[in-house]
Amino acid sequence: MNPATGSVEFEVPEFFEEFHATDDPEEAYELVLSRLGEQAGWLGADRRRALTDLYLAGSAALNELDAIWSGACVGTLDGRLSLATLTVTQLETAGDAPQEAVAAALTEMLAPVPAPADGHGPHRLVRRFEAPAGPVVVSLEQTPGWQLTGEQNVPLLSAKAHLPLQPPLPGVLIAEPTTPDADHWADGYAPLLVAFLRSVRFRVPDLPAVEDLPALPGVDPFGTALA
């Protein structure tokens, strides 16, 4: 991003550590153990190896992206092991259309996918909210997830929050938290996504900073988002 045009700043959730991608199974295993810490002793060898396979799969996916930042969170929630990743990317767009126009186009493009009659397959929910930095279009869906060995896979719950950049900054900032622990979404990871989105600040020459703009009216629309 051209500093003369402006910049984007955000705060990374404190529970996430920057992700170190690797294609070495032994290195991935050691990284998983270091993230788990004392919790590694609670798990059997099969579970530790499964987490290593997930780490390798996440590394492969990240290598295909030009990520601004990526990180992982491994810990416990409600006494159970919980895992999530967070990836921040920027989608390049042509021109510098107003944020409202881009948000409207994103809402149409990401139109919800109806739930399949048999209960299987993708089911996407789409919501639009207001954050301090502008309109945010969030999609949430469950996918087949990471492929392990043979026909084994780990279903993933993935959210994508699209925040159009403020002109003259071109593009869309995308924050994508993903977790195999869908039960932990509403109380664990959704609030972290909210905090991330509320931390985004655009620094654009000759335009007022977000802190100088009026506060958003009404109640926090994220309170029931994707719950």
Side-chain angles (χ1 to χ4, degrees), residues 76-118:
T76 57
L77 189 62
D78 297 330
R80 291 186 295 149
L81 184 68
S82 191
L83 169 69
T85 61
L86 174 65
T87 304
V88 183
T89 57
Q90 181 182 343
L91 174 66
E92 298 291 343
T93 59
D96 54 357
Q99 287 179 290
E100 288 292 335
V102 177
L106 285 168
T107 302
E108 183 175 352
M109 290 171 56
L110 298 171
V113 175
D118 60 2

Side-chain angles (χ1 to χ4, degrees), residues 10 22 26-27 42-43 58 82 92 98 105 114 123 131 154 226:
F10 53 81
T22 180
E26 294 306 317
E27 183 181 13
W42 304 354
L43 305 176
S82 191
E92 298 291 343
H123 177 205
V154 177
L226 309 178

Side-chain angles (χ1 to χ4, degrees), residues 2-225:
N2 186 349
T5 304
S7 63
V8 179
E9 301 173 358
F10 53 81
E11 296 178 8
V12 175
E14 60 177 323
F15 300 106
F16 282 81
E17 297 183 20
E18 192 162 4
F19 195 94
H20 174 66
T22 180
D23 59 2
D24 183 338
E26 294 306 317
E27 183 181 13
Y29 183 75
E30 292 301 324
L31 287 167
V32 167
L33 291 184
S34 67
R35 291 288 178 88
L36 289 172
E38 294 181 357
Q39 302 168 57
W42 304 354
L43 305 176
D46 289 345
R47 181 60 170 160
R48 292 197 298 269
R49 181 54 60 186
L51 288 173
T52 301
D53 290 339
L54 289 177
Y55 199 101
L56 289 168
S59 294
L62 284 175
N63 286 334
E64 298 178 2
L65 298 173
D66 185 14
I68 297 174
W69 190 89
S70 62
C73 172
V74 179
T76 57
L77 189 62
D78 297 330
R80 291 186 295 149
L81 184 68
S82 191
L83 169 69
T85 61
L86 174 65
T87 304
V88 183
T89 57
Q90 181 182 343
L91 174 66
E92 298 291 343
T93 59
D96 54 357
Q99 287 179 290
E100 288 292 335
V102 177
L106 285 168
T107 302
E108 183 175 352
M109 290 171 56
L110 298 171
V113 175
D118 60 2
H120 299 288
H123 177 205
R124 185 190 311 138
L125 302 176
V126 176
R127 301 285 189 271
R128 172 185 159 150
F129 303 106
E130 296 297 326
V136 182
V137 180
V138 184
S139 65
L140 176 69
E141 64 182 312
Q142 191 146 11
T143 66
W146 288 321
Q147 187 74 31
L148 297 181
T149 58
E151 297 181 356
Q152 285 186 314
N153 63 3
V154 177
L156 296 176
L157 189 68
S158 178
K160 285 188 178 181
H162 302 75
L163 175 55
L165 302 185
Q166 183 180 15
L169 298 175
V172 178
L173 189 72
I174 302 176
E176 182 177 3
T178 301
T179 178
D181 302 297
D183 292 346
H184 293 165
W185 170 255
D187 296 328
Y189 299 116
L192 294 181
L193 175 60
V194 171
F196 173 88
L197 293 171
R198 290 198 170 281
S199 77
V200 176
R201 296 291 185 268
F202 299 138
R203 305 299 180 186
V204 179
D206 302 325
L207 289 179
V210 169
E211 291 87 346
D212 300 327
L213 298 177
L216 294 173
V219 297
D220 183 354
F222 290 99
T224 56

